[in-house]
Amino acid sequence: MIRTFTFVILVLLCMLDRATAIAHGVSGNPVNIESIIHFPADTAFLSTSIGHPSLSAQNLTFKRRLDSLEKSVPLNYNEYVQSYIDIYLSRGEQMGKMLGLSKYYFPIFEKALKEAGLPDEIKFVTVIESALNPHAVSRSGAVGPWQFMYTTAKGYGLVMDNYVDERKDPVKASYAAAHYFVDAYKRIGDWLLTIAAFNCGTGAVTRAIEKSGGIADFWKVRSFLPRETQNYVPAFIATVYAMNYYRSHGIQSKAADFNVLTDVIEVNRHVSIASIAKAADFDLKELLLLNPSYKKQIINGSIQSPKSLVIPGVNNNAFASLYDVLNGGTNTNASVIAASMKEAFAELPKTNPVYHRVLPGQTLTSIANKYGAEVQDLKVWNRLKTSTLVPGQNIRVSAASKPYAEPNESSSMSYVVKVGDTLSGIADKFSGMTVSKIKALNGLSKSVISPGMKLIISQL
């Protein structure tokens, strides 16, 4: 998020055919998540010098369309915005894939933004930041769909430990990003400059405002911002255009390679995702895609700190099977859980940490990727103040693991109420559950429930 470089959708050098031309250099190593889409790495924009485009009918069409989309965030049209519109529309295949992914991710982002009282348009920042890839990692160590740096994520309440990296959790990262935007807007007072701050930091933006004469207007402040940030806002506006008017340019949305209709269950015990997939007959690959924040493919829930499990929308029979799995039922699923947990822990490094000798050309990011670690973890384990490495240096690349312990059999399972849910409908999802039992477990005197409520479904 706040860093020197950020993610952008395209990897190319694009020459615009105009009286005055501009070349935008966007380069980096592709990142691939389960072959859904190829995502580029960090960007390093070339300096720009663009003349005003002619006021052609085509230019006026783009302007009118942007005007029609404008709500709270100004969507100014100019040569900088047009250059990115041209780039994005030339990549119809990639845009089509992201349009498909947006069917799942955008409702999540919209909910967090709405609850924080923020403009809906801010969700398009994620397209620039990560191309809607929850596993996206930049060279500078920013992670997730919103590209949070470790320190900033910690400051906004996200958890990064041996089990989870909540920067990859679309829901939790979205609420953290929403809080950041609220704070930044209070300080800056201009939406385009607030979006710019998401790229370079509020400090850099406020200093640029001061240098430009004290007026909080992105287009007046633009030349005083870091080079990448100068292009970040035009890219944002172009993204809003491309994601709304793609049909007018012959781009087709491509369905995501996973179920975008999902349910969420709160899990209050340690259980492996593989065992859940096996017991409930889910596709493991899909379940992992829906739960990207679990680093060891283990949900480390507890009574005190339940964890969310996102599952594909399923029928009542699948819910009943999952109920048995998460509550240690009398069928064979209980042994499946125990066996898979032991197997998962057996594959982890033992109590002695692992070390790596740095080779010429290696970076913290390349080493972290090799060992499945996080850049910030490497810094903490090796007490590194910078990301500089020296060939021949030995660095620790794993934490000392703890021996496997059988999970506590005293556990419970919760259900998050969605729009349209009723107690009778929820009871039907779980074998042996009734409305009266749910009311008793949750101390409800009436059958009135509201979206977002967490209902205890079982307690052993």
Side-chain angles (χ1 to χ4, degrees):
M1 175 176 152
I2 302 173
R3 58 197 184 281
T4 304
F5 297 111
T6 188
F7 274 70
V8 151
I9 311 169
L10 307 173
V11 182
L12 73 155
L13 290 173
C14 181
M15 294 299 296
L16 298 178
D17 185 15
R18 291 204 180 107
T20 306
I22 172 177
H24 291 280
V26 186
S27 61
N29 297 321
V31 179
N32 191 323
I33 172 176
E34 302 296 338
S35 300
I36 292 178
I37 182 172
H38 291 282
F39 303 97
D42 304 342
T43 63
F45 291 100
L46 300 178
S47 58
T48 63
S49 177
I50 310 177
H52 289 286
S54 61
L55 294 177
S56 65
Q58 182 73 358
N59 295 141
L60 291 174
T61 298
F62 286 123
K63 183 182 186 306
R64 291 193 188 101
R65 288 174 177 174
L66 280 172
D67 288 344
S68 72
L69 295 172
E70 187 172 311
K71 299 174 188 176
S72 300
V73 179
L75 299 176
N76 310 106
Y77 175 77
N78 55 35
E79 63 271 27
Y80 306 108
V81 173
Q82 182 63 57
S83 67
Y84 278 94
I85 290 176
D86 292 344
I87 292 173
Y88 295 166
L89 295 181
S90 70
R91 298 299 187 188
E93 184 72 17
Q94 289 179 319
M95 288 300 301
K97 290 179 179 179
M98 279 185 291
L99 286 162
L101 292 172
S102 71
K103 298 294 190 297
Y104 174 71
Y105 290 110
F106 275 6
I108 295 173
F109 303 157
E110 289 164 0
K111 183 175 186 294
L113 294 172
K114 182 178 180 180
E115 290 183 12
L118 293 168
D120 174 84
E121 307 93 292
I122 290 177
K123 66 190 177 189
F124 293 105
V125 165
T126 57
V127 177
I128 304 172
E129 289 288 345
S130 65
L132 303 181
N133 176 9
H135 291 290
V137 180
S138 75
R139 283 193 293 260
S140 56
V143 172
W146 292 92
Q147 287 291 279
F148 272 104
M149 292 294 286
Y150 183 91
T151 303
T152 307
K154 279 285 188 183
Y156 281 90
L158 296 179
V159 175
M160 286 78 69
D161 58 26
N162 285 337
Y163 283 98
V164 298
D165 187 340
E166 290 183 347
R167 293 175 294 179
K168 296 182 178 182
D169 186 316
V171 175
K172 293 183 178 179
S174 294
Y175 280 97
H179 291 159
Y180 178 90
F181 276 107
V182 168
D183 291 345
Y185 185 74
K186 286 180 180 177
R187 185 174 175 183
I188 297 170
D190 177 85
W191 281 121
L192 290 184
L193 285 174
T194 298
I195 291 169
F198 198 74
N199 175 249
C200 66
T202 54
V205 170
T206 54
R207 288 191 295 272
I209 293 173
E210 292 174 1
K211 292 178 182 177
S212 67
I215 300 176
D217 181 310
F218 173 79
W219 301 106
K220 293 181 179 179
V221 174
R222 181 176 182 270
S223 62
F224 296 92
L225 291 167
R227 185 172 59 180
E228 180 186 338
T229 310
Q230 293 179 22
N231 296 279
Y232 188 83
V233 169
F236 166 80
I237 296 173
T239 300
V240 176
Y241 177 88
M243 296 291 283
N244 280 280
Y245 278 98
Y246 61 93
R247 292 187 185 90
S248 299
H249 299 275
I251 297 174
Q252 295 183 346
S253 175
K254 299 184 182 300
D257 291 341
F258 57 90
N259 195 336
V260 299
L261 300 177
T262 60
D263 287 308
V264 179
I265 294 179
E266 295 293 304
V267 180
N268 297 331
R269 64 177 295 170
H270 275 58
V271 59
S272 72
I273 294 177
S275 68
I276 295 173
K278 183 174 183 178
D281 196 26
F282 292 141
D283 179 77
L284 177 58
K285 177 182 174 181
E286 182 175 19
L287 208 55
L288 293 174
L289 281 170
L290 294 173
N291 296 275
S293 64
Y294 296 108
K295 295 163 70 172
K296 298 179 179 179
Q297 300 182 16
I298 295 170
I299 301 175
N300 59 321
S302 66
I303 300 295
Q304 297 76 20
S305 180
K307 302 295 183 182
S308 296
L309 169 69
V310 182
I311 62 172
V314 294
N315 57 34
N316 292 348
N317 289 335
F319 259 101
S321 296
L322 187 56
Y323 172 90
D324 288 337
V325 170
L326 297 178
N327 290 274
T330 56
N331 60 23
T332 57
N333 289 327
S335 61
V336 170
I337 293 175
S340 65
M341 284 291 292
K342 290 179 179 178
E343 180 180 350
F345 273 85
E347 294 175 353
L348 299 177
K350 302 305 179 182
T351 54
N352 294 326
V354 177
Y355 288 85
H356 172 84
R357 182 178 292 276
V358 178
L359 301 176
Q362 287 188 322
T363 64
L364 277 180
T365 300
S366 64
I367 295 172
N369 291 338
K370 178 178 180 179
Y371 290 94
E374 302 292 339
V375 171
Q376 187 62 32
D377 288 337
L378 297 185
K379 286 186 174 181
V380 172
W381 295 334
N382 295 278
R383 299 180 180 178
L384 300 175
K385 295 182 179 180
T386 69
S387 298
T388 303
L389 296 176
V390 178
Q393 178 181 357
N394 283 323
I395 64 170
R396 182 173 169 178
V397 294
S398 75
S401 64
K402 297 180 180 179
Y404 170 75
E406 294 288 345
N408 190 340
E409 291 302 323
S410 296
S411 62
S412 67
M413 182 173 69
S414 302
Y415 176 83
V416 180
V417 178
K418 301 188 298 299
V419 175
D421 274 343
T422 63
L423 284 183
S424 60
I426 295 171
D428 288 341
K429 292 177 180 288
F430 300 93
S431 176
M433 187 53 60
T434 64
V435 171
S436 60
K437 286 183 181 180
I438 295 177
K439 291 172 69 174
L441 285 170
N442 293 275
L444 300 176
S445 58
K446 299 181 180 180
S447 297
V448 179
I449 55 176
S450 59
M453 287 180 61
K454 292 183 180 180
L455 297 177
I456 297 174
I457 301 300
S458 72
Q459 196 165 49
L460 300 179

